[in-house]
Amino acid sequence: MGAVIDRSLISTQPMHVDVELRGEFTRGETVANRQNALNRKVPRGDRLVFDGTEPLAPNTHVAMDIDAERFLDLLIARLAGK
């Protein structure tokens, strides 16, 4: 909520984010792709081999840092009714 009141409290990075639905990793988990790329794997014999990457368009902004001191000052001021 602090970022809604004062957007300058956080810094963000554009990322591609999905929600795991198949249960392949953890069902319902939010998975952020920091490289905005999908590793392409192809079958070779009995294993999968890396065969390059495919770009993924960022679909959200992910908070990466917060000015915690300013946030606490804002929170205390709001709680105190200032």
Side-chain angles (χ1 to χ4, degrees), residues 10-65:
I10 62 170
S11 61
T12 64
Q13 178 179 337
M15 268 186 228
H16 186 87
V17 176
D18 284 317
V19 176
E20 174 62 54
L21 298 175
R22 296 179 307 222
E24 184 176 336
F25 301 108
T26 302
R27 188 171 183 182
E29 180 177 335
T30 303
V31 181
N33 187 315
R34 291 176 181 244
Q35 287 78 34
N36 293 319
L38 183 62
N39 291 334
R40 195 171 49 237
K41 300 173 193 151
V42 294
R44 295 250 170 90
D46 62 347
R47 67 182 109 196
L48 291 174
V49 178
F50 174 74
D51 189 42
T53 60
E54 295 177 29
L56 291 172
N59 58 3
T60 192
H61 290 267
V62 176
M64 300 300 289
D65 195 24

